[in-house]
Amino acid sequence: MCHSLLSVAIAVVLLSISLSYYFAKMNSNTDLMASNALLFVSNTAKTLKLCLQSSRFVKNILYIKYIGVDNNLSVINKQIIDIYSKTATQNENLDIRLILKPLEGLKKLQTNHPIDMILTDSRIENQNLKELVLNIRPECQLETIETENEIESMKGEPVKTYEYVALGGTFDRLHNGHKILLSQAALRATKHVTVGVTDVNMIQSKILWELIQPVEVRIKAVKDFLSDINPDLEYNVLAIQDLYGPTKDDPRFEMIVLSEETHRGGVKINEKRKENGIRELDMHVIELAHDDQHSSEEDAKLSSSNQRMRLLGTMLKSPKPNSNIPVTPYVIGLAGGIASGKSNITEKLKLKGAAIVNCDLIAHELYKPGLPLNRTLAKTFGNHIITATGEIDRKKLGDIVFSDTKELNKLNQTVWPFIIEEAQNRIKVLGEQGYKVVVMEAAVMIQAKWFQYCHQLWAVIVPPKEAIRRLQDRNNLSEEEAKKRVEAQPSNCEQVSEANVVFSPYWSYEFTQQQIDKAWDELQKYL
C-alpha cells in the first residue's frame, strides 16, 4: 500500500515538473514573438526558407533586407516574385516587405513601423546590426536563423531602369500580388513612381465591389508600402477616373508595370500617347501570382476578389451597445433587397437555432380584412386595391407605389409603425419562450431604420442584375418592371455601410453555408 502511494506521489511530482517545463517553454516562445521584425539576408537563395522560419517569430510585419547584393537588381527582381508569391501560401496574414533601399555608406534604415526583433542568417555577424536601423525599440532582440547546407546564390535576367515609372490598379486590401507589382515598379525606377488607384466609378464591375475599401484608404496603404520599401524615390499616388490617368499626356513617363490582366490597358495607353504625339511607354508585364488556397468559387490567382469573398460571414464592424432594447433575446436584424436571398439565409439561421420574426409576413397578416391597416390602406390609396374577398391586392398596390416615389413613401409611413410594433411584441414573446437569438427579417430594414431595435445588423446582397433576373422568374415580371422594384430599394452599398456582417448567396449552396457557419460561430461570443 505504502509502495503504491509512493509511486503515485513520484508520478505527481514528475507530472508537475513536466507541466512546469511545458508552460515555461510556451511562455518563452510567446516572449520571442515580435510585432515587427527585420530579417537580414546574405544569401538570396536562402530567402524563402529564412522567411518561412522567421514567420514563427513575427505577428505583423516581416521586413527583409539583403546585405551585399544591393546593386544586383537582377537577383532582387527574381526574389520579389518568389518571396511574395510563395510566402502567401504559408502565412497569408503576415505582412512581408522586401526593402529595396540600398545601404550606402553610413545611411541607416528607417521603416514606417518600429522594429522589435532583428533576425539574421548564420553568415552575418549580428553584433552591430542594431546600429543600421533607426527606429528599433529599446527591448529589440537579436536572433540567428539557422538553415540547411549552403545554397549557391541565384542569378537573374538583367533589369532596365527608368527615371519615371507608372502603374495602376484597385489595390483593395493590399495583398502579395499587389506587392509584386509595386515592388517591380520601385525596383525599375531611379527617381519617380506614379500609382493610379481606381476610383469608385471604375470598380463597379468587380466581384463584391461594395466591400472594396474607400479610395482614400487604398491610397494610404499603397503610400505606406512604397515609402517603406524605398523612401528615396518620389511617389505620386492618386485616384484615377479612367484607365489613362496622367500617363496619356505626360511625356516624362518612360515605362509602365502591368499584370497579364491589365496588359490590354497598357496597349490602349500607348495608343493614346501616340495620338498625343509623345513616346510610347515600355511595358513590363508580370505573370499573375497563384493562390494555392483558393476554393472552387474563387480565382486561382492571388486577388482582392478572393479576399472579399472570404470576408462574407465575418464581422466587418463590431456591434455597438444598444440601450434601445433589452439585453435578451439577442436580436439580429436581417436586411436585404428584394430577391437577394434573405429567405434562404433566414432558413439556414433557423436551423442553427434562431427564432424568426418575418416583418414581410407580418405586413401580409396586417393587410387582412377587418384589421385597422387594411381599412387605412383602402382609405389612403383607394378602394380599387381591395379584392372581392376584402384582401389587399398586392400587385395593384405595387403598381402604384413602385412607379412613384411619393406614393411609396406614403405607403411606408402608413405601414411601418404597425409592423415594428407587432414585431417587437413577437420578439418579446420569443424571449420569454427561451430563445437566445431572434432574427428580425425585413426588406425595409435600412429605410425604416429598424436596425436601431437590433443588437447587430446582417445584410444579404447579390448583384443587381441577378436580383432582377430572380424577380422576373419568381414574380413573372418584365425586365423593366423588375428593374423598377430593385432600384426603388436601398442599394447594396447602403445595406453594407450599416451592416456588421454581410452574406451573398450568389454562389454554391456549400459556400453560402460556410458564410452562415462563420457568422454563427462568431455570434456566440456576444451571447
Side-chain angles (χ1 to χ4, degrees):
M1 180 69 176
C2 292
H3 180 74
S4 299
L5 288 173
L6 181 61
S7 299
V8 170
I10 292 171
V12 169
V13 170
L14 290 174
L15 178 61
S16 176
I17 292 170
S18 298
L19 287 172
S20 298
Y21 174 80
Y22 172 77
F23 285 117
K25 185 79 172 172
M26 289 294 288
N27 290 334
S28 173
N29 288 341
T30 302
D31 291 340
L32 280 175
M33 283 296 284
S35 180
N36 308 315
L38 172 57
L39 169 65
F40 285 102
V41 179
S42 62
N43 185 335
T44 55
K46 288 188 173 185
T47 307
L48 186 58
K49 284 187 176 181
L50 288 166
C51 280
L52 297 179
Q53 286 183 260
S54 299
S55 65
R56 296 176 300 157
F57 300 99
V58 191
K59 287 183 281 189
N60 297 328
I61 303 175
L62 175 62
Y63 291 98
I64 304 164
K65 182 71 191 95
Y66 290 126
I67 289 183
V69 290
D70 276 339
N71 297 317
N72 196 334
L73 300 188
S74 61
V75 171
I76 296 173
N77 173 51
K78 185 173 187 341
Q79 286 302 310
I80 285 171
I81 297 170
D82 286 349
I83 290 169
Y84 289 121
S85 61
K86 293 174 183 176
T87 55
T89 64
Q90 301 294 323
N91 189 346
E92 62 179 343
N93 297 318
L94 186 62
D95 185 350
I96 304 280
R97 301 189 178 197
L98 175 60
I99 297 173
L100 303 179
K101 173 184 166 65
L103 275 175
E104 297 173 348
L106 298 176
K107 285 186 179 180
K108 295 188 176 184
L109 285 175
Q110 172 142 13
T111 56
N112 290 345
H113 306 273
I115 302 300
D116 307 293
M117 180 181 288
I118 291 178
L119 302 163
T120 69
D121 67 36
S122 54
R123 291 174 58 184
I124 299 174
E125 293 291 332
N126 62 14
Q127 289 89 344
N128 300 318
L129 287 178
K130 283 187 179 182
E131 296 177 10
L132 296 176
V133 187
L134 282 175
N135 57 334
I136 60 172
R137 294 190 190 276
E139 66 276 13
C140 179
Q141 304 172 67
L142 286 170
E143 296 290 335
T144 300
I145 305 294
E146 298 292 341
T147 55
E148 296 171 3
N149 297 332
E150 287 295 310
I151 307 171
E152 187 177 345
S153 291
M154 296 180 173
K155 297 179 181 179
E157 297 295 321
V159 174
K160 185 178 179 181
T161 58
Y162 307 80
E163 279 198 350
Y164 279 76
V165 174
L167 72 158
T170 305
F171 300 105
D172 179 40
R173 294 175 175 83
L174 204 68
H175 57 66
N176 282 1
H178 297 142
K179 291 176 183 178
I180 292 174
L181 286 169
L182 294 167
S183 297
Q184 292 284 9
L187 184 71
R188 285 163 172 73
T190 58
K191 182 177 181 180
H192 177 96
V193 176
T194 283
V195 184
V197 181
T198 52
D199 213 339
V200 67
N201 65 307
M202 294 184 68
I203 62 177
Q204 295 178 22
S205 62
K206 294 185 175 293
I207 293 171
L208 295 170
W209 73 270
E210 300 90 348
L211 298 182
I212 292 177
Q213 296 169 314
V215 68
E216 298 81 8
V217 174
R218 291 179 277 133
I219 286 173
K220 183 180 178 183
V222 170
K223 284 180 177 178
D224 178 70
F225 178 77
L226 285 172
S227 63
D228 230 2
I229 63 172
N230 191 354
D232 292 348
L233 295 174
E234 300 172 355
Y235 297 111
N236 180 25
V237 186
L238 72 163
I240 55 173
Q241 284 72 44
D242 58 45
L243 70 88
Y244 304 106
T247 58
K248 65 180 179 294
D249 49 24
D250 190 334
R252 294 177 300 171
F253 289 115
E254 302 164 286
M255 195 270 281
I256 186 167
V257 175
L258 304 156
S259 71
E260 291 173 317
E261 282 186 331
T262 58
H263 176 259
R264 183 172 172 75
V267 172
K268 288 185 175 181
I269 287 170
N270 273 339
E271 289 172 355
K272 182 66 70 174
R273 285 175 70 90
K274 191 174 181 180
E275 287 176 19
N276 293 335
I278 53 179
R279 189 182 77 80
E280 294 180 30
L281 299 173
D282 287 353
M283 294 191 288
H284 179 66
V285 182
I286 298 168
E287 290 183 12
L288 296 171
H290 190 73
D291 184 351
D292 290 336
Q293 298 178 333
H294 76 279
S295 69
S296 57
E297 284 84 9
E298 296 173 345
D299 290 334
K301 57 170 182 150
L302 275 176
S303 74
S304 298
S305 299
N306 287 358
Q307 290 187 324
R308 291 192 295 276
M309 289 177 70
R310 292 165 194 172
L311 288 175
L312 295 171
T314 67
M315 188 67 67
L316 300 179
K317 186 165 57 178
S318 297
K320 296 177 181 177
N322 191 342
S323 58
N324 293 322
I325 53 175
V327 176
T328 56
Y330 200 87
V331 181
I332 303 293
L334 189 65
I338 191 168
S340 63
K342 287 191 309 301
S343 299
N344 177 19
I345 300 297
T346 300
E347 285 304 310
K348 293 181 184 300
L349 292 171
K350 187 176 179 181
L351 290 173
K352 290 286 189 183
I356 310 298
V357 171
N358 188 318
C359 292
D360 299 335
L361 293 180
I362 289 176
H364 292 185
E365 292 170 17
L366 295 176
Y367 283 175
K368 288 180 179 177
L371 294 179
L373 183 57
N374 183 289
R375 294 192 294 270
T376 302
L377 291 174
K379 184 177 179 181
T380 305
F381 294 99
N383 288 325
H384 68 286
I385 67 165
I386 305 295
T387 67
T389 59
E391 303 275 353
I392 298 290
D393 188 324
R394 292 176 60 80
K395 188 171 189 316
K396 284 184 179 178
L397 183 58
D399 290 341
I400 295 170
V401 300
F402 285 117
S403 59
D404 188 328
T405 304
K406 287 183 178 179
E407 294 298 311
L408 180 59
N409 289 335
K410 189 192 297 183
L411 174 67
N412 292 338
Q413 297 309 315
T414 303
V415 172
W416 287 351
F418 287 91
I419 297 173
I420 191 60
E421 181 181 4
E422 178 61 23
Q424 288 183 294
N425 289 336
R426 296 188 185 188
I427 289 169
K428 183 180 179 182
V429 170
L430 289 166
E432 291 169 352
Q433 292 174 356
Y435 284 98
K436 291 183 178 180
V437 179
V438 177
V439 174
M440 182 168 74
E441 176 191 348
V444 298
M445 181 69 68
I446 302 297
Q447 306 99 303
K449 298 190 185 302
W450 287 344
F451 51 82
Q452 65 185 317
Y453 302 109
C454 306
H455 296 96
Q456 287 188 38
L457 175 65
W458 294 0
V460 185
I461 63 171
V462 292
K465 286 183 179 179
E466 174 66 11
I468 290 167
R469 185 194 65 76
R470 291 179 182 182
L471 197 55
Q472 283 182 267
D473 294 343
R474 189 184 76 187
N475 292 22
N476 195 27
L477 298 174
S478 68
E479 183 178 352
E480 188 60 32
E481 289 173 322
K483 188 177 180 182
K484 277 185 181 178
R485 297 199 178 192
V486 169
E487 291 179 348
Q489 302 199 338
S491 67
N492 284 347
C493 277
E494 290 173 279
Q495 311 271 9
V496 168
S497 67
E498 299 288 352
N500 302 102
V501 175
V502 174
F503 302 107
S504 185
Y506 179 58
W507 291 274
S508 67
Y509 171 91
E510 292 76 17
F511 186 61
T512 302
Q513 187 61 52
Q514 288 171 20
Q515 298 171 45
I516 297 294
D517 292 342
K518 282 193 285 188
W520 190 260
D521 290 344
E522 180 78 11
L523 175 64
Q524 303 312 304
K525 69 173 69 170
Y526 297 98
L527 301 184

